[in-house]
Amino acid sequence: MSYYFGIYHWRRRGRALALGTLALAAGALLAVASTRRTRRLLAVALGLWGARTDYRTLSKLLRPPPWRLDGEKYALLAAALPLDGADRVLDVGCGTGRSLVGLAPTLAPETTVVGVDVFDDRVILGNAPALARRNAVRAGLDAAVVRGDAARLPVADGSVDVVTACRVLHDLPEAAARRAAAEAHRVCAPGGTLGVLELRITHDGSTDPARYWRDLVAEAGFDVRHVEEVERERGRYVLVVADA
């Protein structure tokens, strides 16, 4: 089954690619137009810099590949959550649908699933509700995808059984990440569960990311019951599971 999850950091990488290509072209023109040794050396230097820039940029442009799920991390999160018995699941920061697709195999057909994201296409090419919906449907998931801010969730109080936040909190400023955790607590039903999957980085540069994310979730009012640092082939993560 084919998915398309968009190209990350496409603007920055596109500018770098254009600059490298321009340097290559300038080096080639200078080499052809000049017979002076210094200018030819400059042409070689420009060409080498341009080629190196283009090579490095192209190697990053499709990282992660826009068609690959890397479902291992989502399976890790799903295994720690009571998804099979949840009537309503909210995925905060669903983006182009990677997390929705990753969680889909563990969700019951009757579960109501909502994905929320700001859908900033300046970071991910094609980032929009329609793309997240399309990817979810391809995974057999009928998800409602809405535009919204993690720090001001467009969801009623106490209406969600499970909230997931997959690699989203670290992308927010620290104050916004704390508000997002508080919002997750607000929308969780009594006895509801929050599952956070984060990179091993923190807002304050802490050397103990597991403790940092645990404390952030606890300060939002959750009862943290599981914290784990895990390493997978494609990354190292912190998993936090907490009850409302």
Side-chain angles (χ1 to χ4, degrees):
M1 186 175 297
S2 61
Y3 298 105
Y4 173 68
F5 296 113
I7 298 174
Y8 282 69
H9 305 297
W10 66 281
R11 288 190 174 188
R12 173 166 54 82
R13 291 169 178 174
R15 286 193 295 267
L17 189 61
L19 189 60
T21 302
L22 184 62
L24 268 173
L29 288 173
L30 188 60
V32 170
S34 178
T35 57
R36 295 178 61 179
R37 184 170 182 271
T38 54
R39 290 188 178 181
R40 284 186 172 275
L41 287 174
L42 177 60
V44 170
L46 271 173
L48 289 174
W49 184 87
R52 180 174 180 268
T53 298
D54 279 356
Y55 175 79
R56 293 181 66 182
T57 303
L58 285 170
S59 68
K60 294 176 181 178
L61 194 61
L62 299 181
R63 191 188 306 164
W67 57 83
R68 191 173 67 205
L69 175 63
D70 285 349
E72 204 176 38
K73 54 182 171 288
Y74 302 113
L76 172 76
L77 176 63
L81 298 173
L83 292 173
D84 55 347
D87 292 327
R88 189 172 171 88
V89 173
L90 172 67
D91 183 38
V92 178
C94 67
T96 55
R98 265 195 173 96
S99 49
L100 292 172
V101 173
L103 296 172
T106 58
L107 293 167
E110 64 274 12
T111 301
T112 299
V113 181
V114 179
V116 174
D117 200 278
V118 294
F119 295 108
D120 186 354
D121 62 1
R122 294 172 299 177
V123 177
I124 305 175
L125 183 63
N127 195 10
L131 181 56
R133 253 183 241 111
R134 186 183 75 181
N135 284 321
V137 167
R138 288 187 175 184
L141 185 64
D142 183 17
V145 180
V146 297
R147 193 182 297 271
D149 187 344
R152 292 187 296 275
L153 291 171
V155 180
D157 294 3
S159 61
V160 180
D161 298 306
V162 176
V163 179
T164 57
C166 303
R167 302 192 309 166
V168 63
L169 296 179
H170 76 276
D171 278 333
L172 304 174
E174 183 174 3
R178 294 186 182 281
R179 288 197 301 272
E183 277 289 274
H185 187 269
R186 176 184 67 79
V187 304
C188 259
T193 304
L194 169 67
V196 173
L197 185 68
E198 262 307 334
L199 299 178
R200 293 187 71 259
I201 58 177
T202 66
H203 296 102
D204 63 0
S206 169
T207 56
D208 189 350
R211 180 175 181 178
Y212 177 85
W213 293 114
R214 180 199 68 193
D215 290 350
L216 186 144
V217 168
E219 288 166 12
F222 286 97
D223 178 19
V224 177
R225 60 177 167 86
H226 182 77
V227 182
E228 181 182 3
E229 290 193 48
V230 293
E231 185 168 355
R232 292 292 183 267
E233 180 183 352
R234 301 189 186 281
R236 302 170 70 191
Y237 306 98
V238 174
L239 172 67
V240 180
V241 179
D243 298 323

